[in-house]
Amino acid sequence: MTIQAQCYVELTPESLSVMQSKWLASPATCVVFEQAQQVLAYALVHPWTPGDAPSLAIEITTQDVNSWYLHDMAIAPNAQGLGIGKQLLTHILNQGRALDIDGIGLVAVQDAHSYWLQQGFKPHATSTKLTQSLSSYPANACYLYLTLA
């Protein structure tokens, strides 16, 4: 919760219950990065319909789909620039490929759009449902998808 509050300054941090729902939807795909018994980063990844994103601040339940949603990947400010983000993303992509996941969606916020494009994510067609979900995000948020299959 501390890392979330430190990293997301353009949006209201989600509550503990909302964050826990992301983890409970798929604990095996969520990951933390620890060093010297201190959590420096985390990634919340769970199954979700491709081309859609869960609204912010809403608890979710498990979906039976072959696509993931990278809800959140955050690195503590004192650990940024150490390559932790690349390690987390590599882990997630390797896990997705090993499990034959079709792809991974995400919503880029706080000007992270170009970073995710460099990682191979691409803009995805917007649906009415996605537009509705994106209304809970900051104005510059955009949905991106990376095909793995």
Side-chain angles (χ1 to χ4, degrees):
M1 296 303 293
T2 300
I3 294 171
Q4 177 195 207
Q6 292 171 332
C7 292
Y8 295 104
V9 296
E10 291 182 12
L11 53 113
T12 303
E14 293 181 292
S15 70
L16 178 59
S17 65
V18 168
M19 297 290 278
Q20 286 174 328
S21 77
K22 284 23 173 195
W23 175 76
L24 289 169
S26 186
T29 58
C30 297
V31 63
V32 297
F33 185 94
E34 276 185 282
Q35 190 172 57
Q37 298 181 339
Q38 181 182 11
V39 175
L40 298 178
Y42 67 88
L44 295 173
V45 182
H46 55 79
W48 204 256
T49 304
D52 190 24
S55 296
L56 284 178
I58 302 293
E59 292 183 27
I60 66 162
T61 58
T62 303
Q63 286 195 359
D64 186 21
V65 295
N66 198 42
S67 183
W68 286 350
Y69 181 75
L70 175 53
H71 180 77
D72 197 1
M73 186 169 85
I75 301 153
N78 65 333
Q80 292 178 3
L82 301 177
I84 295 170
K86 187 68 172 168
Q87 290 178 55
L88 285 175
L89 184 58
T90 298
H91 172 80
I92 293 164
L93 296 178
N94 288 342
Q95 186 180 26
R97 288 183 181 109
L99 295 172
D100 203 26
I101 296 301
D102 293 335
I104 302 172
L106 61 82
V107 173
V109 296
Q110 298 187 169
D111 298 322
H113 179 263
S114 61
Y115 170 81
W116 292 112
L117 290 174
Q118 291 171 3
Q119 307 314 310
F121 286 79
K122 296 186 179 348
H124 192 278
T126 303
S127 65
T128 302
K129 187 174 181 184
L130 178 59
T131 300
Q132 183 178 23
S133 296
L134 287 176
S135 70
S136 67
Y137 291 79
N140 65 349
C142 80
Y143 181 84
L144 303 170
Y145 192 80
L146 175 66
T147 301
L148 294 180

